[in-house]
Amino acid sequence: MTIRVLLADDQALLRATFRILIDSDPHMTVVAEAAEGQEAVALALEHRPDVVLMDIRMPGTDGLAATADICARTELSDTRVLVLTTFENDENVAVALRSGASGFLGKDVSPDVLLAGIRTVAAGDSLLSPTATRALITRFLASPAYDVPLAAPERLNLLTEREREVMALAALGKSNHEIADQLVVSPLTVRSHVSRAMTKLNARDRAQLVVIAYQSGLVRPSLGD
């Protein structure tokens, strides 16, 4: 299967660089390019890409607003947003994740990491660095500014004990393989638990499941992270 990618960045040179890199992978193709957020939304509706590589800072409609728009549209429920950032403003990354982005990458990542990130997000997983994610959650998602939860805490009662356990470990940034090793189960079993938890909590993807874990109190932010 070919992963279809939409590039959204106001720097033409950077878009050209990403296009060359992505198109060099036989299993990926760039279907369109956008220079600002509203154009990204329109092109996403037109092309229905698997992944939108979204810059945060763009003129007009920025990447945050575009991410929220794309992730809120039912007709784009299969489209994942991977945010590009310089990490100059962690709050922007937190807002993007809260809006439904599936993860984030720094603009200075290596080509291999970028391509791997696109594959990860296209597969329905989130791309969240454990350390960075905990810091973001601690400093922003758990603050009063984000006190409207994606899912009410009582909805955790819908989960089995094992599903809550897996969800909590995922919120700490652990991969399926790491969770499987810790719980002595198969990675496929972990993926099934994650998938069921997402369905029960109406989480768009693993990234939103992480946010729900913190907002519901299943996992408590640590100021020491």
Side-chain angles (χ1 to χ4, degrees), residues 92-108:
N92 285 341
V93 178
V95 171
L97 290 176
R98 181 68 171 78
S99 298
S102 294
F104 52 90
L105 282 173
K107 285 190 173 182
D108 57 351

Side-chain angles (χ1 to χ4, degrees), residues 94 97 132-143 171 210-211 214-215 221:
L97 290 176
T133 299
R134 282 180 299 205
L136 289 171
I137 295 288
T138 298
R139 292 158 58 186
F140 299 107
L141 298 181
S143 73
V210 168
V211 175
Y214 282 91
Q215 288 190 321

Side-chain angles (χ1 to χ4, degrees), residues 12 50 68 80 90 131:
D50 300 301
R80 299 289 179 256
D90 286 346
T131 300

Side-chain angles (χ1 to χ4, degrees), residues 27 30 33 36 50 88 123 127 144 160 173 198 224-225:
H27 302 295
V30 174
E33 297 181 23
E36 61 91 32
D50 300 301
E88 292 175 355
L127 193 65
T160 65
M198 285 167 48
D225 284 334

Side-chain angles (χ1 to χ4, degrees), residues 71-90:
C71 294
R73 293 178 181 265
T74 56
E75 61 266 50
L76 293 176
S77 59
D78 293 329
T79 295
R80 299 289 179 256
V81 177
L82 179 55
V83 173
L84 291 173
T85 176
T86 57
F87 291 97
E88 292 175 355
N89 188 332
D90 286 346

